[in-house]
Amino acid sequence: MSSDTDHIPSVMYDNTKAISYKKGRYFGKGGFAKCYEIIRDNDKQSFAGKIISKNLIVKQNQKEKMTQEIQIHSRLNHQHIVEFFGFFEDHDNIYIVLELCKRRSMMELYKRRQVITEPETRYYMNQIVSGVHYLHSHRIIHRDLKLGNLFLNDNVQVKIGDFGLAAKIEFDGERKRTLCGTPNYIAPEILSKQGHSFEVDIWSLGCIMYTLMVGRPPFETSSLKETYAKIKKCDYKFTIALSPTAKHMIMIMLQSDPSQRPKISKLSHHDFFKGYCPASLPVSCLTMAPRFDKLEVPSPGQYGKGTALKDIQGQQATAHKDNSIAVGLAGVPQHHNSFSDVDNLRVIRSLIAKLIKSSPRMLQSMTDEMTDPAVQPTVWVSKWVDYSDKYGFGYQLSDDTVGVMFNDTTRLMILSNGKNVQYVDQDGCEEYMTVDAYPKTLEKKVKLLSYFNRYMREHLVKTGAQVCKEYDSLSRQPHLHQWCRSTSGVLMQLNNGTIQVNFRDHTKVIICPLMEAVTYVGEDRSFLTFRFAMLTKLGCLSILYEKIRYTYDKIGVLLEKKD
């Protein structure tokens, strides 16, 4: 299968700085560019390399647009804007060296979570508004603010990126007239071609905030024509209950008349931002709603029922019934997406059935462009041990969280910091505690968990020092919902919807129904992630197809038991 990836060299050389970069992992593509991890030779530091083939920018206006993007982005310096490190070119390509945001974009966060709690939304919006305030103060309109252009670094901090449509306002009152943007976020004055300025970014912020809190874009329909009609009429509805300040902030941003929208400087002082906002968020929030309770750790033997809730100024996040999204309060049943476990199984089986029905071509290898690393799982089961003949099934997640699903179907997990413990009873209610303070009734299970934990760390993984972070107490990791085992391997279903099968040959298949994607983990621990739609269209690795077929059959057995 032909691909212009062949024109991207394995080593890229910046003649102006006498620095070479080695091509690393493929991250994806968009517009004219492909994105790879590039590793600087002299210090092995990793960057995001935005690589544009010169064959794709032959027209003069395309060249001018590329020049403008580089000129604008290279002059920016703000903690919530993707850092620009430089650019260079060779005979075939232009290379832009950018800050690497390993946690991908907020689009993936949104797809995995569907609805984001209010404290989290406040955390993200505060950072986004800060970045946009900086842009506007430098007379720059982004013009393509959307979840896919808001990136997250290792510390789950927002970085605004992709300045391909950005423009500079040269004089007061200047109105731009280019038709640009992304359908679900585009402002009405752009569609009507009446001229636009900074206000289009405020409109996009309203769309972003609405999408995070409601679970879908405000003007989304099945057709572009209908979406544009709804945007022009400012026709949207709140389908779930939001706090008064959240609702008001969205409403003042989503106004047809751009002159009525607040300036970014005023928006940053909105009452919405006066509510409780976490100082930081755990990586686990990429797939599960965080906890917003404060543990008051008593001395051993003095454990009180439940936990004391932190004062969050009356703005505590509440579960949205329409979407069955949890806020993570102790003692409250937690439902983490709109699917039940049976729904998840059926969705996954349906995805596989479509692939099987398409009779895909069997491939021995696949190009980078056929993979989609953005939808790679954020957490998976890295190790497991079956001790169900006596106590239960133990497992370790990829972040070093260790859990046990006991034979009575209760679950107990200890986070990677070795301190915070999460208990899930038979009804799915969660309680939080620490290894030093827990109810007397759980004493035996906590001791068993510590045995499993020690075994996992000493026998199945390399041990290493664990750093306890301040925000670990907000973490809520997925837990094992059910499992079954055969001579070929073990199937595990997490309560975030993920299905994972570990095979005897040490390969793994991980399927996410929300992302409609499958990841194949080889014996060498390499990850290849594909959307099912891509496999159906272009073909499937023969070795992966065999694993997927096995998974299909095992899910069928599980569903038969539930019917």
Side-chain angles (χ1 to χ4, degrees), residues 147-328:
L147 293 175
N149 286 339
L150 301 173
F151 300 94
L152 297 170
N153 68 5
D154 278 347
N155 295 320
V156 198
Q157 295 168 331
V158 180
K159 304 281 184 171
I160 300 172
D162 198 341
F163 290 85
L165 295 180
K168 183 154 189 175
I169 296 296
E170 301 294 348
F171 56 88
D172 291 341
E174 181 187 4
R175 314 296 291 180
K176 301 293 184 180
R177 301 195 178 274
T178 306
L179 180 62
C180 60
T182 299
N184 278 328
Y185 303 84
I186 198 167
E189 62 268 31
I190 294 179
L191 293 177
S192 62
K193 301 178 183 178
Q194 66 187 56
H196 61 269
S197 188
F198 300 108
E199 300 85 7
V200 299
D201 284 348
I202 305 301
W203 175 276
S204 296
L205 291 179
C207 295
I208 288 166
M209 184 171 171
Y210 180 101
T211 303
L212 291 176
M213 300 195 78
V214 176
R216 60 174 179 79
F219 307 101
E220 185 176 59
T221 68
S222 57
S223 75
L224 203 57
K225 183 179 179 181
E226 191 179 346
T227 295
Y228 284 166
K230 289 173 75 73
I231 290 172
K232 289 175 181 177
K233 292 185 291 185
C234 200
D235 178 15
Y236 71 97
K237 295 179 177 66
F238 290 100
T239 56
I240 61 174
L242 301 181
S243 71
T245 57
K247 192 171 182 179
H248 180 264
M249 183 167 159
I250 291 170
M251 290 174 66
I252 62 174
M253 291 187 283
L254 294 182
Q255 297 193 72
S256 294
D257 183 352
S259 67
Q260 295 300 306
R261 295 173 212 148
K263 287 183 167 52
I264 194 70
S265 55
K266 184 176 181 181
L267 195 64
S268 61
H269 294 97
H270 192 275
D271 284 349
F272 174 74
F273 290 118
K274 296 177 182 177
Y276 166 65
C277 181
S280 54
L281 286 173
V283 173
S284 62
C285 76
L286 300 179
T287 187
M288 300 287 284
R291 300 164 47 191
F292 291 118
D293 58 280
K294 180 182 178 182
L295 284 170
E296 291 184 349
V297 183
S299 58
Q302 295 182 333
Y303 184 93
K305 176 73 175 175
T307 58
L309 298 182
K310 185 173 183 177
D311 173 22
I312 54 176
Q313 302 177 353
Q315 297 295 325
Q316 178 178 297
T318 54
H320 298 316
K321 294 181 182 177
D322 290 352
N323 296 280
S324 304
I325 300 298
V327 294

Side-chain angles (χ1 to χ4, degrees), residues 13-30:
Y13 191 71
D14 181 352
N15 281 306
T16 59
K17 296 181 180 177
I19 295 175
S20 59
Y21 298 88
K22 183 179 180 181
K23 185 176 74 174
R25 294 170 295 167
Y26 174 71
F27 287 140
K29 61 181 178 179

Side-chain angles (χ1 to χ4, degrees), residues 442-471:
L442 292 180
E443 187 170 5
K444 182 179 179 181
K445 289 182 177 178
V446 171
K447 285 183 178 178
L448 286 170
L449 174 64
S450 69
Y451 294 149
F452 273 97
N453 185 31
R454 191 180 312 138
Y455 179 81
M456 292 281 185
R457 297 185 189 284
E458 290 179 0
H459 297 284
L460 300 181
V461 296
K462 293 181 180 178
T463 56
Q466 297 295 335
V467 179
C468 180
K469 299 176 182 177
E470 183 180 357
Y471 50 79

Side-chain angles (χ1 to χ4, degrees), residues 372-388:
D372 194 344
V375 296
Q376 182 175 308
T378 60
V379 64
W380 59 91
V381 178
S382 58
K383 299 287 180 182
W384 60 271
V385 58
D386 181 2
Y387 206 0
S388 57

Side-chain angles (χ1 to χ4, degrees), residues 34-174:
K34 290 189 177 68
C35 190
Y36 283 85
E37 176 184 23
I38 57 173
I39 302 115
R40 192 163 58 192
D41 269 353
N42 60 351
D43 59 3
K44 306 306 177 188
Q45 185 174 347
S46 289
F47 301 89
K50 187 173 180 179
I51 305 169
I52 306 98
S53 170
K54 290 182 176 179
N55 292 331
L56 300 176
I57 49 170
V58 291
K59 296 179 181 178
Q60 186 59 31
N61 68 320
Q62 293 171 334
K63 293 178 181 177
E64 289 172 358
K65 184 183 170 198
M66 176 61 59
T67 299
Q68 179 174 279
E69 177 183 352
I70 291 172
Q71 285 179 342
I72 288 176
H73 199 170
S74 63
R75 294 169 182 170
L76 303 177
N77 182 19
H78 188 269
Q79 61 179 333
H80 295 303
I81 292 175
V82 171
E83 190 169 354
F84 185 100
F85 289 101
F87 75 100
F88 59 96
E89 60 183 300
D90 59 22
H91 181 268
D92 297 313
N93 304 302
I94 296 170
Y95 306 89
I96 301 177
V97 185
L98 302 168
E99 178 181 4
L100 180 59
C101 297
K102 292 182 180 177
R103 302 301 174 187
R104 312 303 305 209
S105 79
M106 289 187 69
M107 176 57 80
E108 288 76 51
L109 164 70
Y110 157 66
K111 285 185 176 179
R112 287 191 176 96
R113 292 279 308 282
Q114 300 179 346
V115 173
I116 310 301
T117 64
E118 186 165 310
E120 290 175 277
T121 301
R122 190 174 289 114
Y123 169 87
Y124 292 123
M125 288 301 298
N126 189 44
Q127 296 180 23
I128 298 164
V129 167
S130 174
V132 174
H133 189 288
Y134 171 84
L135 292 176
H136 287 193
S137 67
H138 286 75
R139 307 179 72 88
I140 293 165
I141 327 171
H142 188 282
R143 299 202 296 184
D144 199 19
L145 291 170
K146 58 182 179 180
L147 293 175
N149 286 339
L150 301 173
F151 300 94
L152 297 170
N153 68 5
D154 278 347
N155 295 320
V156 198
Q157 295 168 331
V158 180
K159 304 281 184 171
I160 300 172
D162 198 341
F163 290 85
L165 295 180
K168 183 154 189 175
I169 296 296
E170 301 294 348
F171 56 88
D172 291 341
E174 181 187 4

